[in-house]
Structure formats: C-alpha cells, structure tokens
Amino acid sequence: AMGVQSEAEALGKTDLELYPPETAAKFMEEDRRVLENGEVFESETAFVDSHTGQQRWVSGSKRPLRNQAGQIIGLIGSFYDITRIKQGEIEREKLIAELEAKNAELERFTYTVSHDLKSPLITIGSFVGFLEKDALLGDTERVKVDSAHINEALTKMQLLLDELLELSRIGRVMNPPEVLSFEAIT
C-alpha cells in the first residue's frame, strides 16, 4: 500500500514521504485525532498496488498507545491485507446476480410452459362438453369431429411434454467427441 519494497524503505518516513498528498493529509488527520482525543479509527481501504497494478484491500485500525499513567504517548496502527476476502465477496455477489438472473429466466420459462400446456387442456375440456351433447343428440358426425379435436389436442400436449423433457436433458446429455476434418466442417 505504501509503494515500498521493504520495511527499511518505510522506516523513519512520514506519511507525506510515502503517500500522495491527499492520502497523507487524511492519514495525518486520523493520527492527530488519535493522539489528541484518544479516538480509535477502524477502516477498510481499497488501493491499486503500484507494483502489480491490481486492486488490493486492507483493513486496519489506529489506537492510542498509553503509558502507565494513562497518558497518550503514541499510537499503534495495525493493518491486514484482506484482498482475498474482498475478492471472494465480489465473486459471491457476481454469482448471486447470475443466480437471480437464472431464476428470473426460469420463472418466465415456467410461465410460458404453463400457458402452453393449458391450451390443449382447455380444448379437450371444451370438446368433451360438445362430445357429450352431440352423443346425447345422436349426431355421430359431430361426435367424430369432436373426437378428432380431442385427439389433436392430446397429440399437441404429448408433443409439448416430449419437447419439454428433451429440453430438460440438454446440458446433461453429452455427445461423444468426434474427429472431423476441416473440409467436413465447411
């Protein structure tokens, strides 16, 4: 975070010698408040590593150092690299967003399938009523027509269910790899 390669490069240097002016001023103000008021600062900071160019995170605190009489004689700062934790949190958030998108897609798909499956059922229900009425009237031609409509609806529903089952298998059934020449592909 300091942009130094070793502890020796940082020893004896002030914040102004190690950090950009704005960052140094912020750190010096925190130090002043710890030393004058005994405040404790806890922070979590992101920065770009000057050597690798990658984003890193540190978590730390500044606390007053007191002598036996309770007087503040300095401060203790301790900071920890929490980059892996932060990267894990970012990855988790990304996966949650992907899962939410997949769930929304699944919800839309379920709605569509439900609607498509209801259509043949409605047809069957309607023509069963017509079939009963036509059978009571003895209209055999209409009974044949009603039966044909019911069979069409049953065939459509069977096709929808077969296609839904096939769709559910996509991604689970792997085709074995095949060796092909480039000429065969074009």
Side-chain angles (χ1 to χ4, degrees):
M2 294 179 186
V4 296
Q5 297 295 315
S6 69
E7 185 178 322
E9 288 181 58
L11 281 176
K13 293 190 178 172
T14 67
D15 287 339
L16 287 170
E17 295 172 290
L18 293 170
Y19 299 104
E22 289 178 11
T23 305
K26 175 182 173 257
F27 291 161
M28 290 182 344
E29 175 58 21
E30 290 172 0
D31 293 350
R32 184 192 64 73
R33 290 169 66 182
V34 171
L35 293 169
E36 289 178 7
N37 306 325
E39 290 184 39
V40 174
F41 279 90
E42 294 190 4
S43 65
E44 195 173 279
T45 306
F47 66 95
V48 175
D49 186 315
S50 60
H51 299 293
T52 66
Q54 295 189 335
Q55 181 150 19
R56 307 207 43 92
W57 288 266
V58 291
S59 173
S61 65
K62 294 180 181 181
R63 300 175 184 281
L65 176 62
R66 299 178 188 271
N67 64 16
Q68 289 181 342
Q71 298 167 316
I72 298 173
I73 58 171
L75 68 80
I76 298 174
S78 59
F79 294 86
Y80 304 94
D81 186 338
I82 59 168
T83 301
R84 288 179 56 192
I85 294 168
K86 283 300 198 177
Q87 288 170 336
E89 288 174 2
I90 290 168
E91 183 65 22
R92 187 190 76 209
E93 292 302 319
K94 178 182 161 192
L95 291 172
I96 288 171
E98 287 176 14
L99 182 60
E100 287 172 348
K102 297 273 185 203
N103 282 341
E105 183 180 334
L106 183 59
E107 189 175 317
R108 289 188 301 272
F109 175 76
T110 302
Y111 175 80
T112 301
V113 168
S114 173
H115 180 269
D116 288 350
L117 289 174
K118 282 182 185 176
S119 177
L121 287 176
I122 292 168
T123 300
I124 291 168
S126 298
F127 278 96
V128 164
F130 295 147
L131 182 66
E132 289 172 350
K133 185 177 110 181
D134 293 337
L136 287 174
L137 294 174
D139 188 347
T140 56
E141 283 305 310
R142 289 297 312 157
V143 167
K144 288 179 186 177
V145 171
D146 297 340
S147 295
H149 283 294
I150 291 171
N151 280 327
E152 285 175 25
L154 288 171
T155 302
K156 180 179 178 182
M157 180 169 272
Q158 185 62 54
L159 178 65
L160 287 170
L161 291 171
D162 290 344
E163 289 173 348
L164 183 59
L165 183 59
E166 185 177 331
L167 182 64
S168 74
R169 291 181 181 147
I170 292 177
R172 288 188 294 165
V173 177
M174 299 273 299
N175 293 332
E178 295 180 37
V179 177
L180 296 172
S181 66
F182 283 111
E183 291 84 23
I185 296 173
T186 57

